[in-house]
């Protein structure tokens, strides 16, 4: 039997394919035996200390430390966690982090990604259609772009036009006349310019794979001052910066002076420069943020594909975007950045307001990008495994939301690593979200057999302690693959337990959803695992509007985290997850100040976050069990305790991290168990 801590922190036999032949870790054996003897509660929580007397507990810790040959740094912040947010300085997201979150399109309306797993470096050059120095630079940028492609480098190049006076049709004509061979980003809102802060055109930037700006300045030193230019450049600064990034070394000269036309596109309020129109300004916002759900056959109640679709709802769209009710996105701005954020920028919201107030003008049709096209096949290619619900499940036309779990046998004959998943809802208009748990102990099958309908009822989770997770899906989610050499461990014989939240839409439906799984083909050196921040001591009095719970975990090793999943039930109102660095600074991970169980999601960071050993992961959650909480399931309010049911509560956040080696995985598991023992009151709040 494998301990719960081991399951949550990376699976029972991690890295087996690497040929890891080291003996079983003594603490793994020790904690497993202890689990069998005293029945450690699920999630391996601090309740263990209630079973051991203080004297025996001290002896137990001493024996464990001697057995493992490890010493403890008692100053590692094991005291009861504070019930209020940490007051140390918060490390806010810089402009470079914003780059990974921007939804950008080129002058033809096609998506452009300036930060991706496929590129180690992206060169971005801010241009101007009327700047002679920028126009003359096109030939050398074409050459550089061809060099990137010919050398098969993991580098890309894109130009940027960010000028509210220039329409998309005009930009296309300019690019055709100048013979531009590289993508040109059409920065309709000016958000990219706001993140880059250019001062001249042309001005070049280099973005590395993490989304950081590592170079800004000139393309080369051919232009020495306005009106003076060398016959040949002697310093190719942009190319040199890209080369440094590709060779995994710091950029030798990260800043050089730009010489060109002054960038002054956004020096005045937008409305004073040119009218806001659907074609130029609003269509890119709608197509990038709304249409993925607002199209036929998807979860949204009406399409937003054409000018007519959008203009007849202009005031409503302005109202729901101003309140940030739509697009649905719960994390607070500037408190962590995530992949595929559905949050509109302030400039985008302002443009929608101005457009609606002006009566929703169409503008020049030639300025409108084409509506997005959505692939009909699997977006990640042909999957290795396709799992489909064995029977369709009926969803009534009306009534309460339904939470149902379905067991999908994987039939793996040997352990494997998963590189990615892709979910297809069978009845997309009623599938609100789905979460994919792993079960290698057959508990899901037992629960399924006891329920006469397909699957079984399950609200808060799968109804048992899962042995892992493959992630989740919500409308608008985009599938992605983990990099080569990285995977999620799945033990042979495991089942996928797919929990689906159904939201009736007024028509009786039948759902038979499908999950595609992509296995990692290359040897896995890095494993994705999970650190659970959990507080099981929940007992909320009726009427209590400010009930605080906390949890924490001190990292024993340098750790790279890649995602976070907060989880509460219906009386949860707010959750903050941070990382307290050894130097006292706080790294924001996620803050949801208006928790809604219906919109719980898994959030993948826009770029991995590296944390040094000694960093303390912290969770602080607030619950509102008063009559003023519109989500409270009880009227009048009743006492609420921890549990799996709708009227129970939970307090947890799962932190995904990448383990670099079997030794790191063992160190994390060892620290998790020992911190639970040492911090017996760590999840009780005074």
């Amino acid at each position: 039997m494998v301990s719960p801590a081991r399951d949550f922190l990376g699976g029972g036999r991690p890295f087996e394919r690497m040929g890891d032949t080291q003996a079983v870790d003594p603490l793994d054996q020790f904690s497993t035996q202890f689990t069998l003897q005293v029945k450690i509660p699920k999630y391996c929580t601090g309740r263990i200390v209630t079973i051991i007397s203080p004297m025996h507990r001290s002896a137990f810790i001493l024996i464990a430390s001697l057995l493992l040959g490890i010493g403890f740094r008692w100053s590692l912040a094991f005291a009861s966690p504070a019930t209020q947010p940490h007051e140390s300085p918060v490390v806010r997201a810089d402009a470079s982090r914003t780059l990974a979150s921007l939804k950008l399109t080129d002058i033809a309306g096609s998506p452009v990604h300036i930060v991706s797993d496929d590129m180690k470096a992206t060169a971005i050059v801010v241009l101007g259609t009327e700047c002679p120095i920028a126009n003359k630079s096109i030939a050398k940028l074409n050459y550089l772009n061809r060099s990137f492609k010919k050398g098969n480098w993991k580098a890309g190049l894109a130009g940027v036009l960010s000028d509210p006076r220039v329409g998309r049709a005009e930009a296309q004509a300019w690019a055709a006349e100048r013979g531009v061979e590289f993508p040109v980003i059409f920065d309709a809102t000016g958000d990219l310019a706001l993140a880059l802060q250019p001062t001249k055109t042309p001005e070049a930037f280099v973005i590395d794979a993490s989304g950081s700006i590592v170079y800004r300045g000139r393309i080369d030193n051919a232009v020495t001052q306005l009106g003076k230019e060398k016959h040949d450049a002697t310093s190719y600064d942009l190319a040199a910066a890209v080369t440094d990034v590709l060779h995994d070394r710091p950029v030798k000269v990260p800043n050089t002076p730009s010489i060109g036309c002054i960038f002054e596109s956004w020096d005045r309020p937008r409305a004073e420069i040119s009218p806001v129109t659907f074609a130029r300004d609003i269509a890119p916002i709608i197509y990038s943020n709304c249409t993925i759900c607002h199209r036929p056959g998807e979860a949204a109640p009406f399409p937003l594909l054409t000018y007519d679709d959008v203009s007849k709802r202009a005031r409503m769209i302005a109202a729901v975007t101003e309140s940030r009710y739509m697009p649905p996105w719960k994390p607070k701005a500037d408190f962590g950045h995530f992949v595929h954020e559905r949050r509109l920028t302030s400039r985008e919201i302002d443009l929608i307001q101005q457009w609606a107030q002006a009566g929703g003008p169409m503008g020049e049709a030639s300025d409108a990008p084409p509506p997005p096209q959505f692939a009909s096949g699997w977006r990640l290619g042909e999957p290795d495994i396709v799992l489909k619900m064995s029977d369709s499940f009926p969803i009534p036309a009306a009534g309460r939301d339904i939470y149902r779990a379905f067991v999908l046998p994987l039939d793996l004959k040997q352990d494997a690593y998963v590189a990615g998943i892709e979910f297809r809802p069978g009845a997309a208009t009623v599938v609100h979200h789905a979460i994919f748990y792993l079960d290698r102990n057959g508990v899901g099958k037992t629960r399924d057999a006891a329920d006469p309908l397909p699957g079984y009822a399950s609200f808060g989770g799968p109804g048992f302690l899962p042995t892992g997770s493959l992630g989740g899906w919500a409308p608008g989610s985009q599938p992605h693959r983990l990099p080569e050499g990285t995977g999620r461990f799945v033990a042979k014989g495991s089942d996928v337990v797919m929990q689906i939240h159904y939201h009736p839409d007024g028509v009786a439906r039948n759902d038979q959803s499908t999950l595609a799984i992509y296995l990692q083909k290359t040897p896995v050196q890095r494993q994705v695992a999970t650190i659970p921040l959990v507080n099981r001591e929940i007992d909320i009095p009726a009427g209590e509007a400010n009930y605080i719970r906390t949890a924490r975990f001190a990292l024993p090793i340098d750790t790279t985290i890649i995602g976070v999943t907060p989880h509460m039930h219906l009386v949860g109102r707010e959750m903050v997850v941070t990382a307290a660095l050894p130097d006292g600074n706080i790294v924001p991970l996620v803050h949801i100040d208006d928790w809604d169980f219906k919109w719980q999601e898994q959030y993948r960071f826009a770029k991995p976050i590296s944390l040094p050993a000694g960093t303390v992961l912290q969770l602080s959650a607030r619950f509102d069990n008063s009559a003023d909480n519109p989500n409270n399931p009880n009227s009048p309010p009743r006492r609420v305790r921890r549990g799996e049911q709708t009227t129970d509560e939970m307090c947890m956040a799962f932190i995904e991290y990448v383990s670099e080696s079997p030794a790191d995985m063992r160190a994390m598991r060892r620290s998790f168990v020992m911190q639970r023992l040492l911090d017996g009151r760590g999840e009780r709040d005074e």
Side-chain angles (χ1 to χ4, degrees):
M1 180 176 179
V2 179
S3 69
R6 180 166 190 151
D7 281 333
F8 263 116
L9 292 166
R13 297 168 65 190
F15 300 98
E16 187 176 18
R17 287 187 173 183
M18 296 174 59
D20 179 25
T21 58
Q22 297 187 32
V24 178
D25 188 30
L27 184 55
D28 290 339
Q29 293 180 328
F30 196 61
S31 62
T32 300
Q33 294 167 6
F34 192 73
T35 303
L36 292 172
Q37 292 169 9
V38 302
K39 299 181 181 178
I40 293 178
K42 292 180 181 179
Y43 311 114
C44 194
T45 70
R47 286 190 183 180
I48 188 172
V49 298
T50 65
I51 303 172
I52 313 173
S53 69
M55 179 181 68
H56 291 152
R57 176 170 171 245
S58 299
F60 174 79
I61 296 171
L62 177 60
I63 292 170
S65 62
L66 291 174
L67 174 66
L68 297 169
I70 56 176
F72 294 103
R73 291 180 293 175
W74 295 94
S75 62
L76 197 57
F78 287 126
S80 297
T83 59
Q84 298 299 325
H86 201 292
E87 295 181 357
S88 297
V90 174
V91 180
R92 296 291 178 183
D94 56 30
S96 65
R97 290 185 180 178
T98 306
L99 294 173
S101 304
L102 292 178
K103 300 178 181 69
L104 305 170
T105 58
D106 64 17
I107 55 178
S110 300
V112 178
H113 303 285
I114 59 177
V115 180
S116 72
D117 294 336
D118 299 329
M119 293 291 175
K120 293 183 68 174
T122 302
I124 300 175
V125 184
V126 179
L127 302 168
T129 58
E130 296 179 345
C131 177
I133 300 175
N135 287 334
K136 195 170 183 179
S137 71
I138 299 297
K140 59 184 69 176
L141 293 176
N142 282 341
Y143 177 80
L144 189 58
N145 183 58
R146 290 194 297 268
S147 299
F148 288 166
K149 292 181 177 179
K150 184 178 180 180
N152 199 26
W153 297 359
K154 286 191 173 183
L157 186 146
V160 178
L161 288 179
S162 184
D163 188 341
R165 302 165 186 82
V166 176
R168 187 173 272 100
E170 182 183 347
Q172 292 172 348
W174 166 83
E177 179 186 358
R178 296 288 172 180
V180 177
E181 299 175 5
F182 47 86
V184 177
I185 297 168
F186 191 75
D187 186 26
T189 63
D191 280 310
L192 180 55
L194 184 65
L196 295 175
Q197 294 291 309
T199 59
K200 304 287 177 58
T201 61
E203 186 165 350
F205 301 81
V206 175
I207 316 299
D208 68 10
S210 72
S212 298
I213 300 173
V214 295
Y215 171 80
R216 65 183 300 150
R218 64 196 181 196
I219 299 169
D220 56 34
N221 68 345
V223 178
T224 57
Q225 62 185 52
L226 291 179
K228 294 188 178 181
E229 183 177 359
K230 300 178 183 177
H231 185 270
D232 291 310
T234 57
S235 179
Y236 301 93
D237 306 277
L238 177 58
V242 171
T243 302
D244 284 340
V245 174
L246 294 176
H247 285 83
D248 299 314
R249 60 194 183 215
V251 175
K252 186 175 181 180
V253 182
N255 291 280
T256 58
S258 298
I259 299 174
C261 306
I262 294 176
F263 181 84
E264 48 190 330
S265 297
W266 303 95
D267 286 356
R268 288 187 292 148
R270 175 67 174 81
E272 295 180 11
I273 300 173
S274 62
V276 178
T277 67
F278 174 81
R280 186 197 184 281
D281 305 290
I282 305 304
I285 300 173
I286 298 295
Y287 292 164
S288 295
N289 297 278
C290 310
T291 306
I292 191 168
C293 295
H294 284 269
R295 56 192 172 99
E298 294 299 324
F302 49 79
L304 292 175
L305 284 166
T306 67
Y307 169 69
D308 287 339
D309 291 339
V310 180
S311 62
K312 67 182 180 182
R313 301 178 174 93
R315 288 189 296 169
M316 184 184 73
I317 293 172
V320 297
T321 54
E322 184 181 31
S323 68
R324 295 195 178 275
Y325 175 67
M326 286 288 158
W329 185 255
K330 287 298 180 179
K332 287 192 68 174
D334 296 324
F335 204 96
H337 283 287
F338 306 96
V339 174
H340 304 308
E341 289 187 6
R342 295 190 299 274
R343 180 191 297 114
L344 298 185
T345 68
S346 297
R347 288 193 177 200
E348 289 173 327
I349 293 173
D350 289 344
L351 285 172
I352 293 172
Q353 294 292 314
Q354 294 175 40
W355 177 69
Q357 291 168 8
M362 169 63 187
E364 296 293 333
S366 58
D367 279 342
Q373 300 296 313
F374 298 95
S376 57
W378 295 111
R379 299 182 192 179
L380 297 181
E382 192 64 27
D384 297 295
I385 302 171
V386 177
L387 304 176
K388 189 173 185 178
M389 292 164 53
S390 57
D391 300 292
S392 62
F393 179 75
I395 299 97
R400 294 186 175 184
D401 287 12
I402 300 168
Y403 297 86
R404 198 82 181 168
F406 304 93
V407 180
L408 308 176
L410 271 169
D411 296 325
L412 288 176
K413 305 305 179 186
Q414 60 183 5
D415 297 346
Y417 289 90
V418 171
I421 61 170
E422 189 169 342
F423 176 72
R424 281 186 182 174
T429 59
V430 295
V431 175
H432 190 280
H433 73 259
I435 303 174
F436 314 110
Y437 300 99
L438 292 173
D439 175 19
R440 65 178 174 194
N441 298 319
V443 183
K445 287 179 177 176
T446 302
R447 294 178 66 92
D448 190 5
D451 194 306
L453 295 176
Y456 61 91
S458 177
F459 174 73
F464 60 89
L465 181 66
T467 53
S469 170
L470 295 181
W473 174 91
S477 297
Q478 303 291 324
H480 73 283
R481 283 182 182 268
L482 292 171
E484 288 189 3
T486 305
R488 300 176 189 271
F489 177 76
V490 181
K492 63 181 180 181
S494 295
D495 299 323
V496 173
V497 177
M498 180 169 67
Q499 186 196 46
I500 298 181
H501 169 195
Y502 294 109
H503 182 71
D505 70 340
V507 177
R509 310 278 186 184
N510 287 287
D511 178 58
Q512 196 169 10
S513 293
T514 306
L515 179 68
I517 295 178
Y518 299 83
L519 301 178
Q520 193 63 275
K521 302 298 195 305
T522 58
V524 171
Q525 291 83 33
R526 308 169 77 221
Q527 182 175 329
V528 176
T530 303
I531 300 168
L533 298 178
V534 182
N535 190 316
R536 290 167 57 89
E537 300 298 321
I538 299 175
D539 189 353
I540 313 175
E544 175 60 59
N546 193 40
Y547 185 83
I548 306 295
R549 297 286 88 178
T550 63
R552 61 196 295 159
F553 176 72
L555 296 174
I557 55 175
D558 293 350
T559 305
T560 299
I561 61 174
I562 60 174
V564 58
T565 304
H567 181 73
M568 297 185 287
H569 287 185
L570 299 178
V571 302
R573 290 305 297 268
E574 183 175 13
M575 182 178 287
V576 181
V577 184
T578 60
L581 302 177
D583 64 7
N585 282 316
I586 301 295
V587 177
L589 300 182
V590 69
H591 181 188
I592 298 177
D593 62 354
D594 182 25
W595 172 262
D596 187 339
F597 180 83
K598 295 178 181 179
W599 289 107
Q600 63 173 325
E601 294 190 42
Q602 296 182 320
Y603 303 106
R604 186 160 54 99
F605 298 124
K607 62 179 182 179
I609 300 175
S610 297
L611 301 171
T615 296
V616 179
L617 300 175
Q618 303 177 137
L619 174 158
S620 179
R622 181 172 67 87
F623 298 83
D624 181 357
N625 193 21
S626 71
D628 293 332
N629 181 356
N631 295 323
N632 197 326
N634 300 312
S635 181
R638 301 176 184 175
R639 179 183 185 183
V640 175
R641 293 183 173 183
R642 193 210 69 82
E644 292 272 354
Q645 301 306 311
T646 306
T647 54
D648 298 329
E649 262 305 333
M650 286 187 169
C651 176
M652 57 183 69
F654 302 101
I655 311 293
E656 278 197 321
Y657 76 100
V658 177
S659 179
E660 301 288 344
S661 69
D664 284 355
M665 187 77 75
R666 288 191 293 271
M668 195 72 79
R669 289 197 303 268
R670 194 161 46 226
S671 183
F672 182 84
V673 173
M674 297 313 297
Q675 286 187 50
R676 291 299 87 194
L677 293 174
L678 289 170
D679 192 18
R681 296 182 59 82
E683 59 175 38
R684 289 178 172 81
D685 297 279
E686 304 298 337

